[in-house]
């Protein structure tokens, strides 16, 4: 293993010489933000690559989540998962919405559709599932429930860039899907995000909301926010798109290598592979079972002592934090699968620059227990 520390994921950076002409163009144009030419080009390029009709860029995924809820005028209660990054539920609180936590499915760690109906009340207005680790939710089952109860569906698709099922992009499901382009994501703009919209009218409303509600210099139609992506970040995204296929292929190779060498290790459980789904291999989570000679936290510390910074992702559960734990739905007895997964999960390093010898060192440490 090299002498550098190995993290769960590291941002892919295109060669600097490729970026310099873009910087010169931005500097010469004197357009640094407010929907400039690189912003427009990236929105179009992402629509083509992802197989979606409309997409609105944002400064980050959290602002995109906040705006998605505003765009659909969500109020009351929203059913969501406790097994996610805190931005998912924080976006609800910031909009004055009550999160209602529902347990996850043990095979996918996504929101369990079988548990959703029991959590619906007269105050429920939407469902906010998460495509955890880029593995698609049971979108058909969730949509059926939403249709039966006249609920909106907003997908937190922060991990799901480029993921497709047999019917096309997973981002086309639900009323809106929200992406993150944070530096740790498969596709990144350092900081950034997007909302995938079903039609031009919805995109127009979202574009107004992300720019303070302005339609023109003297007309404001909504209490909007400043969520615009800069030209610098947009240009970086355009460069990233040129390298994304190579990066995804390398991630797939790393995923397969882990599975091959960890499949025989007692007490180490890898989540199911993608099957018919075209995955993006955004994370490589393992679950530590009782047969393994040490618990999850001990393995985490062992790897850390050897310069390998795995991540207990997602631990603690969102529902255990102070602003949520008093909610009736947040009690651990209501969330047995999520509680168990949070205590056993460990995400291993996976990124295009991870070298084979570095990956072998990680595997060797796990195999030796």
């Amino acid at each position: 293993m090299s002498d550098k520390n190995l993290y769960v994921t590291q941002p892919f950076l295109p060669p600097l010489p490729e970026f310099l002409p873009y910087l010169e163009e931005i500097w010469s144009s004197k357009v640094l933000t407010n929907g400039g030419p690189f912003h427009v080009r990236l929105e179009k390029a992402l629509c083509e690559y992802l197989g979606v009709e409309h997409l609105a860029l944002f400064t980050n995924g959290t602002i995109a989540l906040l705006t998605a809820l505003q765009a659909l005028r969500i109020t009351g209660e929203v059913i969501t998962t406790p097994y996610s990054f805190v931005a998912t539920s924080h976006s609800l609180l910031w909009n004055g919405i009550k999160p209602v936590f529902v347990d996850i499915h043990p095979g996918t760690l996504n929101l369990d559709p079988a548990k959703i109906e029991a959590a619906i009340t007269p105050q429920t207005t939407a469902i906010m599932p998460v495509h955890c680790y880029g593995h698609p939710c049971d979108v058909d089952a969730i949509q059926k429930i939403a249709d039966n109860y006249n609920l909106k569906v907003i997908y937190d698709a922060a991990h799901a860039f480029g993921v497709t099922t047999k019917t096309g992009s997973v981002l086309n499901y639900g009323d809106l899907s929200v992406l993150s382009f944070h530096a740790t994501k498969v596709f990144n703009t350092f900081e950034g995000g997007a909302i995938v919209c079903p039609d031009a009218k919805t995109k127009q409303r979202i574009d107004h909301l992300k720019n303070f509600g302005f339609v023109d210099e003297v007309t404001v139609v909504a209490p909007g926010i400043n969520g615009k992506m800069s030209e610098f970040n947009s240009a970086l995204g355009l460069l990233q798109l040129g390298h994304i296929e190579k990066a995804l292929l390398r991630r797939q190779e790393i995923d397969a290598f882990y599975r091959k060498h960890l499949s025989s290790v007692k007490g180490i459980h890898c989540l199911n592979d993608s099957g018919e789904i075209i995955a993006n291999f955004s994370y490589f989570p393992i679950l530590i079972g009782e047969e393994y000679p040490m618990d999850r936290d001990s393995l985490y510390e062992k790897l850390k002592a050897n310069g390998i910074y795995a991540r207990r992702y997602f631990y603690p559960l969102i529902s255990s934090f102070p602003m949520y734990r008093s909610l009736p739905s947040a009690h651990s007895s209501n969330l047995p699968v999520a509680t168990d997964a949070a205590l056993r999960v460990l995400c291993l390093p996976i990124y295009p620059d991870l070298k084979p010898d570095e990956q072998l060192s990680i595997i060797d440490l796990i195999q030796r227990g």
Side-chain angles (χ1 to χ4, degrees):
M1 186 171 65
S2 71
D3 58 358
K4 71 175 181 179
N5 293 329
L6 304 179
Y7 294 86
V8 170
T9 185
Q10 295 182 13
F12 170 75
L13 303 177
L16 184 59
E18 291 185 26
F19 196 38
L20 292 178
Y22 284 46
L23 285 177
E24 292 174 355
E25 186 176 341
I26 292 170
W27 208 252
S28 298
S29 73
K30 297 182 172 59
V31 178
L32 305 181
T33 185
N34 288 354
F38 280 101
H39 179 283
V40 173
R41 285 168 57 186
L42 181 57
E43 283 194 342
K44 181 179 178 181
L46 284 173
C47 284
E48 292 175 354
Y49 180 82
L50 295 171
V52 301
E53 290 292 324
H54 304 279
L55 177 146
L57 289 174
F58 275 80
T59 187
N60 60 59
T62 303
I63 297 295
L65 280 171
L66 289 168
T67 306
L69 291 161
Q70 284 283 322
L72 296 181
R73 299 177 174 87
I74 304 301
T75 59
E77 297 178 354
V78 170
I79 292 171
T80 191
T81 172
Y83 194 79
S84 180
F85 185 64
V86 291
T88 306
S89 293
H90 282 359
S91 68
L92 296 171
L93 286 191
W94 272 68
N95 277 288
I97 299 165
K98 179 182 177 181
V100 176
F101 296 111
V102 164
D103 208 5
I104 59 177
H105 189 280
T108 64
L109 305 187
N110 287 326
L111 193 65
D112 189 345
K115 305 293 177 61
I116 291 176
E117 285 192 87
I120 296 173
T121 73
Q123 288 72 48
T124 306
T125 58
I127 306 169
M128 184 183 279
V130 177
H131 298 302
C132 190
Y133 309 128
H135 296 285
C137 297
D138 188 341
V139 292
D140 292 330
I142 290 171
Q143 192 60 54
K144 183 177 180 180
I145 295 169
D147 291 342
N148 286 342
Y149 291 89
N150 194 29
L151 305 176
K152 299 292 187 182
V153 180
I154 300 174
Y155 280 104
D156 182 335
H159 296 174
F161 182 89
V163 176
T164 63
T165 67
K166 59 185 178 181
T167 58
S169 173
V170 72
L171 303 174
N172 284 318
Y173 288 94
D175 294 277
L176 296 173
S177 285
V178 179
L179 287 160
S180 170
F181 302 149
H182 183 265
T184 58
K185 299 300 187 288
V186 168
F187 170 85
N188 79 84
T189 58
F190 285 2
E191 285 280 7
I195 300 179
V196 175
C197 317
D199 52 61
K201 182 179 180 180
T202 304
K203 174 175 163 51
Q204 184 181 59
R205 172 166 168 75
I206 287 170
D207 283 342
H208 290 158
L209 285 170
K210 78 176 182 184
N211 188 29
F212 305 102
F214 277 105
V215 175
D216 54 42
E217 291 183 8
V218 296
T219 307
V220 177
V221 294
I225 198 167
N226 185 7
K228 305 180 300 294
M229 179 180 283
S230 75
E231 286 292 271
F232 179 92
N233 297 99
S234 300
L236 180 64
L238 283 170
L239 283 178
Q240 290 272 12
L241 269 183
H243 296 270
I244 190 66
E245 288 301 318
K246 182 179 179 181
L248 292 177
L249 179 60
R250 178 67 189 124
R251 284 177 172 272
Q252 183 177 13
E253 293 170 348
I254 294 169
D255 180 283
F257 198 77
Y258 273 136
R259 292 182 186 279
K260 176 182 177 181
H261 290 276
L262 295 177
S263 61
S264 60
V265 181
K266 289 185 178 180
I268 298 294
H269 172 68
C270 303
L271 288 190
N272 294 335
D273 60 21
S274 55
E276 296 182 359
I277 297 163
I278 298 177
N280 63 12
F281 308 98
S282 55
Y283 293 90
F284 194 86
I286 58 175
L287 296 174
I288 314 302
E290 293 181 357
E291 292 181 311
Y292 194 69
M294 63 179 70
D295 62 20
R296 187 276 309 278
D297 288 346
S298 297
L299 177 58
Y300 167 81
E301 294 296 342
K302 176 183 177 180
L303 293 174
K304 185 177 178 181
N306 284 271
I308 300 163
Y309 290 82
R311 188 172 181 186
R312 294 167 291 189
Y313 198 58
F314 300 98
Y315 168 83
L317 291 178
I318 295 175
S319 50
S320 69
F321 290 117
M323 63 288 303
Y324 300 108
R325 67 168 68 118
S326 63
L327 295 171
S329 65
H331 197 278
S332 59
S333 62
N334 186 54
L335 308 166
V337 180
T339 300
D340 178 67
L343 295 174
R344 297 198 294 123
V345 71
L346 196 63
C347 287
L348 303 181
I350 180 169
Y351 48 89
D353 288 337
L354 183 65
K355 295 179 175 59
D357 63 314
E358 293 170 337
Q359 190 178 7
L360 277 172
S361 296
I362 297 166
I363 291 167
D364 180 62
L365 286 168
I366 296 172
Q367 288 175 332
R368 286 192 278 125

